[in-house]
Structure formats: structure tokens, C-alpha cells
């Protein structure tokens, strides 16, 4: 074990709160959905039982309708805002009211494929829960059956303040009675590396709408303040459907296979709605107005991971990837550096995230784009070696920013090996 491996293991153990892992102390003191899934992959490298526990505790918070919420509040922690009193989920354990990118089935398949018969048995009771989660996405986030799922809050994308959401956020009217509130994130982290106040006003406006309609998901999708198509969630769901189908085969769950196959077929067609012909790339799109975002993001690059689009479209995406990588010292930036809205240090408006790199590299390798994949993997390795296990990194300077001792950055390092 190298020094960095030991450090990564230390971080996972330090962020373990007994069966679930927090992303980092103080800034994010609860269990987050996709952070937790990636934590499981990290644990699987040295403690398989603990890895499975992470997924099992996450699913303890699944809603009766199948939704897997984005934050699970097992205790009240004043270090974080907005906490359970703002969300009012009316569930046990309390949670937030929307979801996050559905990586769980892909993580579970990876743990099964890297394990033995006992891992397959551990996955068995999770299968119906994952199937219900995918059904929830396909039905509640795509009530018209277009094959493209929407997100009701930028936080549902996991890429909170990405310029992808600017067009949808600009259309949100902040009500007079939103009330005063106190952010906590900017007490832990330099405000220049976090979303703006105007964005937080809108994040809370969406939560107010959700709370007031009792988190009625169809109402959120049809009439909520925000509903956008996200290449990230769409592509991650497509890949997760494919991985869930493989799990169904391994587990002999024949009845589910046809259903998952239909979801996949519909989503493969639906993702074409995200192809922006002006930019010649997959982009976010406001599903209320049809308007496209005009920027290429790290999530656009997950087309490979999903096997989405035509050969021609993926070839165009590979050209964009090479161009973007040539503009930064470290890839892959969360937003196109050539775009005027790029900001090297502001959270999802430019910085590099190890976990997105992990997914991009997986997809690029599968698509045979091995040179691009190697470059991104090598950049990630250099970032961690020089800066440490930070939440995100400046793509120009390589500086580590946001939270430190970060769970999913440590997990990616362990999965990839030194
Ligand atoms: C935050 O609080 O910034 C989280 O990313 C929301 O999920």
C-alpha cells in the first residue's frame, strides 16, 4: 500500500458515521445519495461487508414510491443548511425531497463483478429496491413518457451551480415570503468557490414549492418552478438501466428484464432531445420552454458511459473532449473553458471533479477512446498527488478547493489504484 492509499483509507474510515459515510465533516454532515454509492466502491477495496452496508443504509431512506432521496438526515446537524426542518419530508428517516444521479445499480454491479457468490447474494434483496428506484425516475421524472427524464432542482443533477441550469434558474421568481435564512456552507468554504446568494434564493424557492405540495412528484414535474433535461442524470440512468438488466440476468430476475429493456429503448431515443445542433453536442435543456443551454459540460461527456447517441454524435463529442482538454492543465473541467460563463474555482462552473472523471474514463475506455481516457485518468492522479483528496480542483492551477478529506475523491483513488 502506498502512502496515498493509506491516506484514502484513513479518510473513508474518518468519514464513517457507523454504517453510512458523510462526504466530508462540517460542510456535508449527512449521508448523500451518490456520494454514498461511490463511498461503497472505495470500501469494497478493503472491507466488502462495510461496502454493502453503505448501500443498505442508503436504501433504508427509500420513499414508499421508490424515490431514493439525495440527503438522508439521521440527526440534526446545525453545520448544514437546509436541514430536515426546511425539507419536511415526512419520512423516517427524514430526508430531502428529491433525488440525485442514480449510480447505485452500476455500483452494485461493479461490486458483484469484483466479488464472489456471497456478493451476488448480498445484492439479491437490493434488486427490487433498485428496480423501484429506476421505475420512479422513468415515471415521475418523465410523466409524458418522452424517454427523457427531467430534474426538478439543480441539486438533483448533483452539479448544483453548473451554467447548465442558468436558463431554468433565471425563470424562477423568488417569492416575497421566502423569508430570511442563514447559509452555513459559506462559513466553511470561501464563498468564491460556492454558489451565489441569488442561486440559493432560487434553490430555496424550489424547496418551498415542494414542501407546500407535499413533495407531489407529478406536480413538481408538471408545475414546479424548475424542470430541465440533464445529460448527466439521463446518461447515468441509461447506464444504470443497462447495469440493472445485467444484474437481473445474474440474479435470475426474469420478470423485470422486459421492463428494463423497454426503459432502455425509450431512453436511447429520448436522449436525442438533448442533442443541441447549434453546439453539435449533448447539452442541458429547459423542458418547459425547449430552450437549450449552449455550453458543453463534463456531464455531456457521459454519452460514452451511456453508449448514447449515434456513432457520428459520439465522434463529435470526442473532438470536443480533445479540444477542451487542450485548454486546461488538468481535465476534465466541469464546464467548457472557452465559454464566457466558465469560472475556474466556482464549484460546478469549471472545476474538475474526480468522480465525474471516473465515469467519463469508464465510458471512453468502453468506446475505444483509450488515449483520451488515459489522459483524464492521469490528470486525476496528478491532481490528487499534488493537491490531496479535495472535493474539486482548479483545472488551470491544479489547486485543491472546496472540502478536504473528501470521501468520493478518496474512493476513486482506491478503485483506480496508485
Ligand atoms: C450542497 O449543499 O451544496 C449540496 O451539494 C446540495 O446537495
Amino acid at each position: 500500500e502506498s502512502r496515498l492509499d493509506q491516506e484514502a483509507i484513513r479518510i473513508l474510515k474518518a468519514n464513517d458515521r457507523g454504517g453510512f459515510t458523510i462526504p466530508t465533516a462540517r460542510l456535508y454532515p449527512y449521508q448523500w445519495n451518490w456520494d454514498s454509492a461511490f463511498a461503497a466502491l472505495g470500501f469494497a477495496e478493503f472491507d466488502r461487508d462495510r461496502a454493502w452496508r453503505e448501500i443498505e443504509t442508503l436504501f433504508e431512506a427509500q420513499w414508499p414510491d421508490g424515490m431514493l432521496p439525495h440527503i438522508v438526515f439521521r440527526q440534526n446537524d446545525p453545520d448544514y443548511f437546509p436541514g430536515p426542518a426546511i425539507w419536511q419530508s415526512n419520512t423516517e428517516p427524514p430526508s430531502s425531497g428529491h433525488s440525485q444521479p442514480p449510480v447505485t445499480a452500476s455500483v452494485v454491479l461493479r461490486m458483484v463483478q469484483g466479488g464472489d457468490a456471497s456478493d451476488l447474494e448480498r445484492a439479491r434483496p437490493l434488486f427490487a429496491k433498485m428496480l423501484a428506484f429506476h421505475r420512479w425516475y422513468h415515471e415521475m421524472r418523465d410523466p409524458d413518457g418522452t424517454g427523457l427524464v427531467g430534474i426538478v432542482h439543480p441539486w438533483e443533477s448533483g452539479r448544483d451551480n453548473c451554467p447548465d441550469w442558468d436558463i431554468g434558474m433565471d425563470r424562477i421568481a423568488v417569492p416575497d415570503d421566502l423569508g430570511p435564512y442563514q447559509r452555513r456552507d459559506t462559513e466553511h468554504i470561501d464563498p468564491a468557490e460556492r454558489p451565489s446568494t441569488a442561486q440559493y434564493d432560487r434553490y430555496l424557492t424550489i424547496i418551498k414549492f415542494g414542501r407546500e405540495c407535499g413533495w407531489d412528484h407529478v406536480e413538481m414535474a408538471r408545475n414546479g418552478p424548475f424542470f430541465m433535461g440533464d445529460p448527466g442524470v439521463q446518461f447515468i440512468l441509461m447506464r444504470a438501466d443497462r447495469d440493472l438488466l445485467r444484474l437481473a440476468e445474474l440474479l435470475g430476475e426474469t420478470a423485470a428484464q422486459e421492463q428494463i429493456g423497454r426503459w432502455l429503448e425509450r431512453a436511447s431515443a429520448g436522449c436525442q432531445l438533448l442533442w443541441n445542433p447549434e453546439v453539435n453536442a449533448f447539452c442541458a435543456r429547459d423542458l418547459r420552454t425547449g430552450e437549450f443551454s449552449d455550453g458543453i459540460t463534463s456531464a455531456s461527456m457521459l454519452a460514452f458511459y451511456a453508449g448514447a447517441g449515434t456513432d457520428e454524435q459520439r465522434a463529435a463529442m470526442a473532438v470536443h473532449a480533445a479540444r477542451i482538454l487542450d485548454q486546461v492543465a488538468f481535465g476534465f473541467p466541469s464546464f467548457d473553458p472557452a465559454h464566457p460563463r466558465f469560472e475556474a474555482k466556482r464549484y460546478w462552473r469549471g472545476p474538475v471533479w474526480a468522480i465525474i472523471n471516473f465515469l467519463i474514463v469508464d465510458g471512453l475506455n468502453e468506446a475505444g477512446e483509450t488515449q483520451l481516457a488515459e489522459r483524464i485518468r492521469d490528470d486525476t492522479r496528478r491532481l490528487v498527488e499534488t493537491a490531496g483528496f479535495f472535493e474539486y480542483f482548479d483545472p488551470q492551477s491544479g489547486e485543491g478547493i472546496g472540502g478536504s478529506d473528501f470521501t468520493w475523491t478518496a474512493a476513486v483513488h482506491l478503485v483506480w489504484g496508485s
Side-chain angles (χ1 to χ4, degrees):
E1 261 169 34
S2 73
R3 179 189 61 77
L4 277 176
D5 290 350
Q6 286 169 8
E7 177 67 358
I9 291 171
R10 182 196 65 74
I11 289 170
L12 286 186
K13 288 182 173 171
N15 289 340
D16 183 355
R17 290 294 177 272
F20 72 93
T21 310
I22 60 167
T24 186
R26 291 177 295 281
L27 180 62
Y28 306 123
Y30 299 110
Q31 185 174 23
W32 258 260
N33 181 329
W34 70 330
D35 292 78
S36 198
F38 290 116
L41 279 188
F43 277 117
E45 295 295 317
F46 63 96
D47 184 346
R48 298 197 73 81
D49 175 62
R50 181 60 189 78
W52 283 108
R53 225 21 235 132
E54 188 77 31
I55 304 290
E56 289 159 359
T57 59
L58 181 61
F59 273 97
E60 284 169 10
Q62 186 169 32
W63 286 22
D65 65 6
M67 186 183 80
L68 196 59
H70 105 291
I71 313 176
V72 187
F73 302 113
R74 285 202 173 69
Q75 78 289 349
N76 193 18
D77 195 321
D79 267 337
Y80 185 77
F81 177 86
I86 303 288
W87 291 91
Q88 295 174 19
S89 67
N90 210 12
T91 56
E92 195 42 52
S95 71
S96 61
H98 59 67
S99 194
Q100 234 176 4
V103 291
T104 34
S106 300
V107 162
V108 166
L109 178 62
R110 215 180 159 100
M111 279 163 47
V112 164
Q113 286 175 332
D116 57 26
S118 68
D119 290 279
L120 186 61
E121 284 320 303
R122 202 83 184 249
R124 194 176 292 282
L126 288 167
F127 180 81
K129 299 175 189 193
M130 295 188 290
L131 185 68
F133 179 33
H134 286 214
R135 176 176 294 114
W136 175 86
Y137 249 115
H138 287 289
E139 291 181 357
M140 299 298 185
R141 290 295 187 253
D142 180 20
D144 295 322
T146 62
L148 172 62
V149 295
I151 56 166
V152 302
H153 194 301
W155 288 347
E156 194 153 61
S157 72
R159 300 181 298 119
D160 307 3
N161 69 338
C162 186
D164 271 1
W165 320 126
D166 290 0
I167 51 174
M169 290 280 273
D170 283 349
R171 295 177 57 248
I172 299 179
V174 179
D176 294 338
D177 63 346
L178 188 63
Y181 62 89
Q182 171 112 42
R183 284 176 67 172
R184 296 286 168 198
D185 59 316
T186 41
E187 293 170 16
H188 307 303
I189 301 292
D190 182 346
E193 298 167 15
R194 293 287 306 174
S196 67
T197 307
Q199 281 163 342
Y200 258 76
D201 284 349
R202 283 159 184 80
Y203 295 155
L204 291 165
T205 299
I206 304 172
I207 296 177
K208 180 174 188 290
F209 183 96
R211 191 172 62 220
E212 288 173 356
C213 73
W215 297 106
D216 174 338
H217 296 302
V218 176
E219 176 65 9
M220 294 287 294
R222 294 216 187 278
N223 300 312
F226 180 96
F227 196 51
M228 287 192 70
D230 170 17
V233 164
Q234 177 76 12
F235 292 150
I236 285 171
L237 181 61
M238 286 170 68
R239 172 59 179 263
D241 277 336
R242 189 178 98 193
D243 292 342
L244 189 64
L245 185 58
R246 183 76 194 115
L247 280 166
E249 290 161 4
L250 292 170
L251 290 163
E253 294 276 0
T254 39
Q257 292 175 24
E258 203 185 314
Q259 170 71 82
I260 303 169
R262 276 199 304 272
W263 288 334
L264 264 173
E265 214 174 291
R266 213 171 58 182
S268 303
C271 72
Q272 288 299 334
L273 293 166
L274 294 178
W275 184 259
N276 181 343
E278 307 261 303
V279 182
N280 203 35
F282 288 108
C283 292
R285 188 169 191 183
D286 193 324
L287 298 181
R288 299 259 188 265
T289 61
E291 191 185 347
F292 276 110
S293 168
D294 64 356
I296 297 173
T297 69
S298 50
S300 306
M301 293 303 156
L302 297 179
F304 301 99
Y305 178 71
T310 61
D311 290 348
E312 208 181 4
Q313 286 170 330
R314 283 193 301 276
M317 295 309 296
V319 172
H320 288 303
R323 170 185 64 78
I324 288 173
L325 285 170
D326 281 344
Q327 291 173 74
V328 289
F330 301 89
F332 201 92
S334 44
F335 197 59
D336 187 342
H339 194 288
R341 292 191 181 218
F342 171 83
E343 292 177 72
K345 287 191 177 3
R346 203 181 275 281
Y347 209 32
W348 289 93
R349 298 180 82 87
V352 178
W353 291 73
I355 198 60
I356 300 287
N357 283 5
F358 177 72
L359 301 179
I360 296 175
V361 166
D362 183 323
L364 285 171
N365 273 329
E366 194 169 270
E369 297 283 356
T370 50
Q371 272 186 331
L372 286 172
E374 202 34 60
R375 188 161 164 188
I376 296 169
R377 184 169 168 165
D378 194 55
D379 284 359
T380 319
R381 192 181 295 128
R382 287 192 298 128
L383 282 169
V384 166
E385 270 166 17
T386 51
F389 293 97
F390 274 86
E391 183 181 7
Y392 43 96
F393 304 87
D394 180 327
Q396 311 292 16
S397 68
E399 185 191 344
I401 41 188
S404 56
D405 283 6
F406 214 83
T407 293
W408 70 14
T409 310
V412 167
H413 173 82
L414 286 173
V415 177
W416 269 346
S418 294

